[in-house]
Amino acid sequence: MTSLALLLLLSLCSEATPPPCRVVHQDVLCSNLSLRAVPADLPDPIHMLDLSRNQVENLTQETLLYRTDFYQLNLHGNRIHSIQLGLFKDMTQLKVLDLSRNRLNVLAHSGGNVGPLTSVESLDLSNNGLYTGMSDYFLADSPSLVNLSLSGNSITKISQRTFRGSSSLRRINLHNNVILEIEDGAFDFLDHLTELDLSKNSISCITDFNLHGLTVLDLSRNSIELFHSAHTGGFYRLHRLDLSQNKMAHFPLLPVNNILEHLDLSRNQLQSVNVSGSPEKKASLIFNHLRFLDMSYNQLRSIPECFFYCMASLEVLNISHNCLGGFSVSQEGVLHRVKIINLSFNTLQTLSFKDNSLQSLEKLFLQGNGLTTLDQQIFHRLSNIRFLQLQKNRLEICEGKGTESGACVNFSSVPNLECLYLSENNLRKVPSNAFVNSPLKLLDLSLNSGLEMDEDSLSGLERSLVHLRLRENNISHLNTDLSSLRSLRHVDLSTNQLRSLPTWNQESSIESLNLQNNNLVALDYRTMVALERSLKTLYMGSNPLSCCRNLGFLHMVQRSAVVVPDIETVTCVHRDHSEPVNIEKVTEEMCQGPDVPRYMVIIVVVMLLCAVVTIVLLVRTWHLRKLKRRRSFSV
Ligand SMILES: *[C@@H]1O[C@H](CO)[C@@H](O)[C@H](O)[C@H]1NC(C)=O
Ligand SMILES: *[C@@H]1O[C@H](CO)[C@@H](O)[C@H](O)[C@H]1NC(C)=O
Ligand SMILES: *[C@@H]1O[C@H](CO)[C@@H](O)[C@H](O)[C@H]1NC(C)=O
Ligand SMILES: *[C@@H]1O[C@H](CO)[C@@H](O)[C@H](O)[C@H]1NC(C)=O
Ligand SMILES: *[C@@H]1O[C@H](CO)[C@@H](O)[C@H](O)[C@H]1NC(C)=O
Ligand SMILES: *[C@@H]1O[C@H](CO)[C@@H](O)[C@H](O)[C@H]1NC(C)=O
Ligand SMILES: *[C@@H]1O[C@H](CO)[C@@H](O)[C@H](O)[C@H]1NC(C)=O
Ligand SMILES: *[C@@H]1O[C@H](CO)[C@@H](O)[C@H](O)[C@H]1NC(C)=O
């Protein structure tokens, strides 16, 4: 009897402890369970075993319960410092092996290695403290290896032996090591190599680049001063080259027969687009396939137009944050596919486009140039321009009619213009009909302190305008009628001196309105009712609102018909409180009774009483006298 009870108890106990691993189909998930080995009772067969983030130290057949039928094995984040010799040899189905973030440097230091890896195609050895030499024999005998990551180690040199044992490699990740040297021919026998990531290393110079089969090469964040391809002819497959964040003073010398599509040279020290060395090398600058070119954050002072002659496919050109004094396109065919040009934060003084040039250009970024004068009709030459970013310049807007001599830019009748940013231009005036016949959806006129807007400045935008930004303009009264802008949805009027709301009639379709930081005391109730139909978001903080004159607004907030994201800062002034009251704490009762302080009421009442008493007394004395007189007569 007792033994039976004990047995029952034991089985209950063992049932009470939860199974350590989760099993999903044929995947066994044992991550983060403080395990030193695989627990017993695993299903059969196993496709994937996740043993990551545990405490495995010594990886042996025993640790893996003598199982060999894995397809994928994840041992990331353990403390593995020793691997039984030939452990993976019999795992003929093992394709994916993750050994990242372990202590394999200990194993490598004692002369051990992970191989042979009979069938492994993807191996992750990142963050194992491996240094040069170790990786050489470590990979011996891994004939099926396709993907290899060695990132986050301390490798200083890639030698001819490094990848000897793994000739099927297609992708190698060596990001974040300290590679100073790559031996000649280190990658030569890797016939299938297509992607190589050497970013964040210490490479200073690439001479004789000759990896014809490579399609993606990442050399960003090194100290490269020079990039030269080998003089050999032949066809190169490279289509993406990242050389950003290096120290190049000259344009790289790329293979003549290239199909490069994406070239990133941002954050270097380019002073000109000249290639270093002899003039005949310049002839090799042919980029018929290039679609993306980034040369931002360099020191370019000028770029000759001819530089772009051989870039007929270019779609995105970023030359922002340089020292360009001018930019011009004087020939029709040049850059005819370009969609985006980013010239922001240069020191442009001249900018010119020939009629009908840049026919595909949709977005032009010119912010932060301090531009003062531009040809009046400059944007009419760009037949497809939709987006103009002109923040932080010093431009003036031309008056709606007639030809003007003054330096101004004409923004009317730009047939495709949808977004126009003119903030921080020191604009003094937006004249009438300034944007007529331009289908603007977004207009940003913020940060032009003292801006005067003509009553008809936005006419012509009735159907198109959706976003209007008038932030920080020190406007005290908006005399432009916004209610005629039927498509308007988003309005920013924050940080001005507005004392009253702009009026909106019943047809308002405003969805978000920002009135933060103005001088609003009382909100016109009818306008609020008109807005409420469509309004979803309202910013109202930092206004000297009166509590009792805005009960309509209060109701709106309390019904939560409208979201007020800055509700914490929406306060109002109430006669009974010396400090502003949060709008959520205001009740209707607080506002009942006369709108005068109590002591005033008391004084008035006392005075009235006094007056009544005096009158009564006067009347009585007058009455008495009359009576007396009558009596005296009658006597
Ligand atoms: C691992 O488990 C511990 C305790 O069970 C938990 O605090 C921790 O967040 C887990 N870590 C991860 C990465 O899941
Ligand atoms: C690892 O395990 C093997 C086999 O069980 C054993 O021979 C070896 O001594 C162990 N190594 C360490 C460092 O614990
Ligand atoms: C190798 O890496 C590529 C790209 O990350 C991936 O698509 C492919 O599935 C990987 N191959 C294996 C066997 O993991
Ligand atoms: C670039 O090359 C042109 C023409 O060969 C030359 O006139 C110019 O001085 C060079 N610029 C620099 C910065 O070397
Ligand atoms: C340059 O501009 C392009 C296109 O707008 C963008 O994709 C890229 O990130 C920019 N470069 C930098 C360094 O920001
Ligand atoms: C223009 O280039 C700068 C980098 O110089 C980048 O930060 C910005 O995002 C670019 N603008 C666009 C719209 O790509
Ligand atoms: C602006 O350009 C349009 C189209 O060329 C023209 O009709 C209009 O008169 C111009 N406005 C001014 C003020 O020059
Ligand atoms: C804003 O406008 C007021 C007058 O309405 C003026 O006194 C004040 O100086 C202006 N502030 C700025 C920064 O322009």
Side-chain angles (χ1 to χ4, degrees):
M1 276 297 276
T2 40
S3 66
L4 197 71
L6 197 68
L7 245 172
L8 207 72
L9 198 73
L10 267 175
S11 74
L12 272 176
C13 278
S14 66
E15 244 172 38
T17 56
C21 302
R22 275 195 313 131
V23 179
V24 181
H25 301 299
Q26 291 169 13
D27 296 346
V28 181
L29 311 171
C30 313
S31 182
N32 196 19
L33 294 170
S34 308
L35 300 173
R36 302 179 136 262
V38 181
D41 301 327
L42 293 184
D44 207 15
I46 299 177
H47 181 81
M48 191 264 276
L49 173 63
D50 181 358
L51 205 60
S52 63
R53 299 189 170 87
N54 281 293
Q55 287 164 17
V56 181
E57 290 179 11
N58 191 357
L59 191 64
T60 61
Q61 284 181 315
E62 204 181 345
T63 344
L64 296 175
L65 283 180
Y66 300 94
R67 297 285 292 258
T68 56
D69 53 346
F70 315 103
Y71 170 87
Q72 185 174 346
L73 200 49
N74 185 351
L75 292 159
H76 165 90
N78 279 278
R79 300 167 185 173
I80 300 168
H81 54 72
S82 120
I83 297 176
Q84 187 179 344
L85 199 64
L87 178 70
F88 301 110
K89 189 163 177 255
D90 297 327
M91 300 193 185
T92 51
Q93 292 170 53
L94 186 63
K95 297 272 192 261
V96 183
L97 177 58
D98 187 347
L99 285 164
S100 58
R101 217 168 271 284
N102 277 287
R103 298 176 185 166
L104 294 181
N105 55 331
V106 178
L107 171 66
H109 191 70
S110 62
N113 75 52
V114 285
L117 299 173
T118 321
S119 58
V120 173
E121 289 177 6
S122 186
L123 175 62
D124 194 341
L125 290 173
S126 57
N127 297 303
N128 266 292
L130 298 172
Y131 47 91
T132 306
M134 290 186 168
S135 46
D136 287 7
Y137 51 83
F138 217 69
L139 287 170
D141 234 351
S142 30
S144 306
L145 205 56
V146 172
N147 292 346
L148 171 65
S149 176
L150 280 164
S151 73
N153 283 293
S154 306
I155 298 164
T156 55
K157 178 180 168 183
I158 305 296
S159 78
Q160 288 185 355
R161 280 175 309 157
T162 310
F163 303 111
R164 266 293 168 210
S166 38
S167 57
S168 305
L169 279 171
R170 288 177 199 277
R171 298 179 191 83
I172 303 177
N173 184 353
L174 288 159
H175 168 79
N176 193 16
N177 277 277
V178 273
I179 297 168
L180 286 157
E181 192 191 344
I182 299 173
E183 255 180 27
D184 266 354
F187 299 104
D188 278 4
F189 54 91
L190 298 175
D191 292 333
H192 305 287
L193 190 64
T194 56
E195 290 177 26
L196 182 55
D197 186 348
L198 285 163
S199 58
K200 209 173 176 212
N201 276 286
S202 310
I203 301 165
S204 59
C205 174
I206 301 279
T207 51
D208 297 323
F209 170 73
N210 66 346
L211 300 174
H212 292 258
L214 216 56
T215 58
V216 179
L217 176 57
D218 190 347
L219 285 164
S220 63
R221 294 202 267 168
N222 277 278
S223 318
I224 297 174
E225 290 171 17
L226 182 111
F227 182 99
H228 271 190
S229 311
H231 285 292
T232 59
F235 181 73
Y236 282 81
R237 290 210 162 80
L238 197 62
H239 65 74
R240 193 180 179 98
L241 175 58
D242 192 346
L243 282 163
S244 63
Q245 300 192 53
N246 278 290
K247 295 183 175 160
M248 297 204 301
H250 297 281
F251 205 82
L253 178 61
L254 294 159
V256 183
N257 281 322
N258 70 72
I259 53 165
L260 207 59
E261 288 178 12
H262 185 112
L263 179 57
D264 193 344
L265 295 167
S266 62
R267 295 182 200 270
N268 273 280
Q269 294 161 11
L270 297 178
Q271 285 172 12
S272 79
V273 289
N274 291 0
V275 175
S276 64
S278 59
E280 75 262 19
K281 280 181 182 161
K282 277 169 215 147
S284 66
L285 279 175
I286 295 173
F287 301 103
N288 280 328
H289 298 260
L290 200 62
R291 296 200 299 179
F292 176 98
L293 176 59
D294 194 343
M295 298 195 292
S296 61
Y297 295 96
N298 277 285
Q299 296 151 23
L300 295 168
R301 297 186 171 278
S302 68
I303 301 183
E305 197 177 330
C306 60
F307 175 71
F308 300 113
Y309 287 174
C310 58
M311 297 186 185
S313 308
L314 202 64
E315 288 171 10
V316 178
L317 175 61
N318 191 348
I319 339 178
S320 78
H321 291 275
N322 276 279
C323 329
L324 295 177
F327 186 84
S328 72
V329 175
S330 63
Q331 296 188 39
E332 237 175 74
V334 175
L335 293 174
H336 73 285
R337 290 239 180 104
V338 97
K339 291 196 183 117
I340 300 176
I341 298 184
N342 191 343
L343 283 162
S344 59
F345 297 98
N346 277 282
T347 50
L348 289 182
Q349 268 146 26
T350 59
L351 181 71
S352 64
F353 306 118
K354 187 182 158 51
D355 265 339
N356 286 322
S357 60
L358 301 171
Q359 282 173 17
S360 310
L361 189 64
E362 291 175 7
K363 297 187 176 184
L364 181 56
F365 297 88
L366 289 167
Q367 70 268 36
N369 272 290
L371 278 166
T372 49
T373 47
L374 279 177
D375 182 345
Q376 270 189 27
Q377 301 295 109
I378 185 162
F379 300 120
H380 292 89
R381 308 223 164 81
L382 306 171
S383 55
N384 227 342
I385 195 80
R386 286 165 208 282
F387 187 107
L388 265 180
Q389 173 52 285
L390 292 167
Q391 189 182 4
K392 278 196 175 166
N393 283 293
R394 303 192 137 246
L395 300 171
E396 291 284 333
I397 306 173
C398 291
E399 299 266 350
K401 285 214 172 67
T403 47
E404 265 168 272
S405 49
C408 65
V409 182
N410 182 352
F411 291 104
S412 71
S413 304
V414 184
N416 292 307
L417 190 59
E418 289 178 355
C419 300
L420 177 59
Y421 296 81
L422 278 168
S423 53
E424 282 184 273
N425 266 271
N426 237 359
L427 282 179
R428 282 165 304 187
K429 197 173 172 211
V430 187
S432 63
N433 299 312
F435 313 105
V436 80
N437 292 328
S438 294
L440 287 186
K441 287 186 178 156
L442 183 150
L443 178 60
D444 190 352
L445 294 166
S446 303
L447 289 145
N448 288 295
S449 191
L451 182 73
E452 243 180 72
M453 294 197 42
D454 187 279
E455 219 173 313
D456 296 320
S457 55
L458 303 178
S459 63
L461 301 179
E462 289 80 8
R463 278 155 179 241
S464 64
L465 199 65
V466 179
H467 296 263
L468 177 62
R469 299 190 188 151
L470 289 167
R471 190 166 55 91
E472 288 185 57
N473 281 330
N474 203 22
I475 299 173
S476 51
H477 177 70
L478 196 66
N479 54 356
T480 314
D481 180 17
L482 299 184
S483 62
S484 62
L485 300 166
R486 270 167 282 145
S487 301
L488 198 59
R489 300 263 185 288
H490 309 281
V491 182
D492 187 351
L493 286 163
S494 60
T495 317
N496 280 293
Q497 310 278 341
L498 290 178
R499 284 185 291 271
S500 60
L501 287 178
T503 45
W504 269 288
N505 55 23
Q506 286 299 315
E507 275 166 47
S508 146
S509 42
I510 308 292
E511 285 174 14
S512 78
L513 178 60
N514 193 336
L515 292 166
Q516 249 177 11
N517 207 8
N518 272 286
N519 265 333
L520 297 167
V521 175
L523 308 171
D524 177 51
Y525 186 66
R526 269 174 315 166
T527 306
M528 289 315 278
V529 171
L531 282 172
E532 193 182 353
R533 292 187 323 130
S534 56
L535 201 62
K536 294 186 177 133
T537 315
L538 175 66
Y539 291 84
M540 185 56 95
S542 308
N543 276 289
L545 292 174
S546 143
C547 292
C548 296
R549 290 168 69 190
N550 292 299
L551 289 172
F553 170 59
L554 184 71
H555 286 156
M556 227 165 114
V557 174
Q558 284 168 350
R559 280 203 308 277
S560 35
V562 173
V563 179
V564 184
D566 62 348
I567 191 94
E568 312 263 284
T569 62
V570 186
T571 56
C572 60
V573 190
H574 189 269
R575 58 172 187 266
D576 287 351
H577 301 262
S578 52
E579 296 286 310
V581 186
N582 188 282
I583 197 92
E584 285 184 300
K585 300 219 175 84
V586 178
T587 61
E588 214 153 324
E589 289 75 56
M590 283 165 80
C591 299
Q592 275 163 2
D595 206 9
V596 276
R598 258 173 218 159
Y599 67 89
M600 282 293 282
V601 176
I602 293 167
I603 290 174
V604 169
V605 168
V606 167
M607 278 169 75
L608 274 174
L609 271 174
C610 288
V612 168
V613 168
T614 326
I615 288 168
V616 167
L617 281 175
L618 277 174
V619 168
R620 272 194 71 161
T621 42
W622 180 75
H623 226 71
L624 273 174
R625 270 190 202 163
K626 226 176 156 184
L627 266 175
K628 265 183 187 167
R629 239 184 272 164
R630 258 191 219 159
R631 271 183 208 150
S632 61
F633 272 116
S634 66
V635 166

